[in-house]
Amino acid sequence: MPFAADQLLRVPLLPVLAAQGLAVRRNARLLPEPTGPRAGRFGCGPRLRLLIAGDSSAAGVGAGTQTQALSGCVVRNLSRHYCVEWQLEATTGHTTEDTIARLEGLDGPFDMAITALGVNDVTRLVSAKVFADRQARLMELLTGPLRVRRVVVMAVPQMHRFPALPHPLAWVLGQQAARLDRALQKAVAQYAQARHLALDLPDDPALAAPDGYHPSPKTYAIWAEAAAHLLHQG
C-alpha cells in the first residue's frame, strides 16, 4: 500500500514535529479526571447494565464532575427508559490495548457498552492494521465474555481540530487519526451489536475544555444524547 503524504513527510518534518510536541507537553494545562462516583444505579424501569470504557474522554476529563461528564450525561438520558446500573472503566492515557487488559479482569455481564479510544493509539504511532486488530479483540471481549448486546463505538477524534495542537503537528496527527477511524469503521462493521458514532460538531470554542485537547461539558452532553439514542434504538 502506498504511503500517504503525511507519512512521507514525517521524516523531513521530524525536527519541527518533535519541537512542537515538546512545546505542547510543556505548555499543556493538565486537567484531572472529574470527581464523583464511577458506578451506581439511577432511574426507573427495566434493568440496564451499562459499561463505559476507554481513555480520558470516557473518563470525562474536561468536566468538573462525573455528573457533567460522559457517564453522568449518558445515564441521565438512558434513565428515562431504564433503571441504569452503570460502571465506568476509563483512565487517562489508555490505549485500546490497555483497555483490553483492564476489561479482561472485569466481572460481567453487561447489556450495553460505550467505548471511546484512539487518541493515545494515534500519539503512540499504532498502525491502522494493528488498531483494527485490537479493536476487533475488544469487540470479541465485549460481545463474548462480557455478553454486551449493544455497543456504541466512538469515532477516533478529529485531532487536526484540537485547538491545543499547532500545524503541521495537528495535520500529521489528524491524518493518522482519520486513518485509524477508517480502520475502526471496518472493524466495527463486522459486529451486528456495534455502531460507530461520529459527531459532526461546529468549530465552537465552547465545545473544547480549557486545555484545548479534551471535550467540554457541552460536548459531553451532545455526545451522550447521541450515544444514548443509538443504544436505546438498537
Side-chain angles (χ1 to χ4, degrees):
M1 181 181 294
F3 287 105
D6 64 292
Q7 294 172 309
L8 292 171
L9 290 172
R10 280 181 194 173
V11 173
L13 285 175
L14 188 58
V16 175
L17 299 176
Q20 288 186 333
L22 288 172
V24 168
R25 287 194 182 97
R26 184 171 60 248
N27 298 324
R29 181 174 176 179
L30 299 179
L31 299 179
E33 294 183 1
T35 59
R38 292 183 170 233
R41 179 184 299 165
F42 188 71
C44 299
R47 182 189 188 195
L48 168 63
R49 294 162 295 188
L50 174 68
L51 172 66
I52 301 170
D55 56 22
S56 56
S57 61
V61 172
T65 68
Q66 289 295 340
T67 302
Q68 301 172 307
L70 177 65
S71 63
C73 293
V74 168
V75 169
R76 279 196 303 277
N77 275 274
L78 289 175
S79 69
R80 300 169 188 164
H81 312 284
Y82 307 98
C83 176
V84 185
E85 296 178 7
W86 58 278
Q87 186 167 337
L88 175 62
E89 297 289 339
T91 298
T92 297
H94 268 197
T95 63
T96 303
E97 188 79 355
D98 296 324
T99 300
I100 291 169
R102 179 171 186 159
L103 298 186
E104 282 177 336
L106 200 62
D107 290 329
F110 295 92
D111 302 302
M112 300 183 187
I114 299 172
T115 66
L117 290 157
V119 167
N120 300 304
D121 294 272
V122 170
T123 59
R124 297 188 193 183
L125 304 180
V126 173
S127 71
K129 182 183 184 307
V130 170
F131 183 68
D133 290 345
R134 290 175 179 174
Q135 284 287 329
R137 284 171 50 207
L138 177 58
M139 288 300 107
E140 290 291 338
L141 174 59
L142 290 170
T143 60
L146 294 178
R147 295 164 56 188
V148 176
R149 294 182 287 108
R150 296 178 192 167
V151 187
V152 168
V153 180
M154 188 60 192
V156 180
Q158 298 175 329
M159 296 185 70
H160 67 283
R161 299 178 65 185
F162 284 12
L165 297 178
H167 287 285
L169 180 63
W171 173 69
V172 170
L173 293 179
Q175 291 294 307
Q176 180 66 2
R179 248 189 311 276
L180 294 199
D181 191 59
R182 290 191 293 271
L184 176 63
Q185 292 180 57
K186 291 180 181 178
V188 168
Q190 304 304 309
Y191 296 86
Q193 305 95 323
R195 297 290 183 275
H196 177 273
L197 173 59
L199 298 179
D200 184 17
L201 299 175
D203 289 321
D204 180 354
L207 296 176
D211 66 353
Y213 201 82
H214 288 94
S216 69
K218 184 176 180 179
T219 301
Y220 283 126
I222 295 170
W223 175 7
E225 184 175 3
H229 176 76
L230 277 180
L231 289 173
H232 179 57
Q233 296 300 320

